[in-house]
């Protein structure tokens, strides 16, 4: 993955500016690295091990000859005196077929597990579900549900998963038009697609700040309940 290009100072300043006129709290979280998907290399490894040797056999490729050609002579030429040569060939073919499945599994598993193929081969629905779970986890981990008037908002982005979300606490949901969050996401994603991640966060923060100021203006005392910093995971 390319180096994360975002200006923390600009995003932090945008949060402070937006919160200056509202009692609400805005937190920004960005997941720069891909999440783990241990099931993906396993699924592709098992699938390849099941299908590829079978396809090779259907096309007349002799697995016995291929594998035997790469085994030491002492192993490739073994014979069992207590079975006939005809029976031995069947046993050897079955054993070599199983061995080829193991080799295919190990090769495909390693390729998917230790390269960018893991994120590419993981279905989009799974990536977005995992990203949503991470966003929800961060909302509670950062204490946005603990603000005095339940006015916490989190802008979350998982770069590798191409996922973004705006999560608002219950106090905001009751009074703010839900279309605002779609507009906020639209602004964020438009900037991201242009390669302007910092500008995207600044614009999204400004949108949230305007809505929060309208419904939750700052009082005489406006304590800063949460740090005004971009959190990078």
């Amino acid at each position: 993955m390319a180096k994360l290009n975002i200006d923390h100072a600009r995003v932090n300043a945008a949060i402070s500016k937006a919160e200056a006129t509202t009692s609400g709290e805005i937190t920004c979280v960005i997941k720069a690295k891909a999440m783990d998907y241990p099931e993906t290399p396993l699924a592709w490894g098992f699938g390849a091990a099941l299908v590829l040797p079978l396809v090779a056999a259907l096309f007349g490729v002799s697995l016995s000859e291929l594998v035997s050609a790469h085994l030491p002579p002492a192993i490739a030429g073994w014979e069992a005196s207590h079975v006939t040569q005809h029976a031995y060939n069947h046993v050897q073919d079955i054993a070599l077929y199983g061995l080829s499945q193991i080799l295919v599994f190990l090769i495909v598993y390693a390729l998917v597990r230790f390269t960018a193929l893991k994120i590419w081969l993981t279905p989009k629905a799974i990536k977005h579900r995992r990203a949503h779970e991470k966003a929800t986890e961060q909302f509670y981990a950062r204490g946005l549900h603990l603000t005095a008037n339940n006015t916490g908002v989190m802008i979350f982005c998982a770069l590798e998963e191409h996922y973004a979300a705006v999560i608002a606490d219950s106090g905001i949901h009751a009074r703010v038009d839900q279309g605002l969050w779609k507009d906020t996401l639209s602004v964020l994603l438009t900037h991201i697609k242009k390669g302007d991640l910092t500008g995207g966060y600044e614009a999204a923060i400004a949108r949230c700040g305007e809505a929060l100021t309208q419904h939750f203006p700052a009082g005489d005392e406006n304590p800063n309940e949460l740090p005004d910093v971009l959190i990078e995971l």
Side-chain angles (χ1 to χ4, degrees), residues 19 30 50 55 69 93 96 98 104 132 134 153-154 173 183 191 225 233:
E19 290 185 357
I30 187 166
L50 179 65
V55 171
D93 285 342
L96 292 176
V104 168
H132 178 73
K134 176 60 70 172
V153 178
M154 183 182 71
H173 266 293
D183 292 341
H191 281 77
E225 300 179 72
L233 304 178

Side-chain angles (χ1 to χ4, degrees), residues 79-84:
E79 293 185 5
S81 60
H82 61 282
V83 296
T84 65

Side-chain angles (χ1 to χ4, degrees), residues 123-205:
K124 182 178 179 180
I126 293 177
K127 289 188 288 188
H128 283 192
R129 185 179 73 243
R130 198 70 55 81
H132 178 73
E133 291 171 353
K134 176 60 70 172
T136 303
E137 170 195 300
Q138 286 298 307
F139 183 86
Y140 290 104
R142 303 301 169 182
L144 277 94
H145 61 303
L146 300 176
T147 59
N149 297 307
N150 300 116
T151 55
V153 178
M154 183 182 71
I155 303 173
F156 177 89
C157 186
L159 296 184
E160 291 285 0
E161 284 74 14
H162 295 174
Y163 174 88
V166 178
I167 302 179
D169 206 358
S170 57
I172 299 175
H173 266 293
R175 299 174 63 178
V176 177
D177 182 2
Q178 300 308 301
L180 168 71
W181 313 127
K182 293 182 180 180
D183 292 341
T184 302
L185 282 176
S186 178
V187 168
L188 174 62
L189 294 175
T190 297
H191 281 77
I192 290 177
K193 290 176 182 178
K194 296 178 181 178
D196 184 14
L197 187 57
T198 301
Y201 265 94
E202 287 178 322
I205 292 166

Side-chain angles (χ1 to χ4, degrees), residues 21-103:
T21 56
T22 176
S23 60
E25 294 290 333
I26 301 173
T27 293
C28 294
V29 179
I30 187 166
K31 184 78 170 66
K33 297 181 180 179
M35 280 164 266
D36 194 20
Y37 301 94
E39 67 274 27
T40 298
L42 285 173
W44 282 90
F46 281 123
L50 179 65
V51 173
L52 292 183
L54 179 60
V55 171
L58 291 175
F59 279 90
V61 178
S62 174
L63 296 174
S64 176
E65 293 179 3
L66 285 176
V67 178
S68 295
H70 294 83
L71 290 176
I75 298 177
W78 66 271
E79 293 185 5
S81 60
H82 61 282
V83 296
T84 65
Q85 183 64 35
H86 179 71
Y88 155 72
N89 286 337
H90 280 49
V91 171
Q92 177 175 285
D93 285 342
I94 293 173
L96 292 176
Y97 187 89
L99 178 60
S100 69
Q101 287 186 303
I102 294 173
L103 291 175

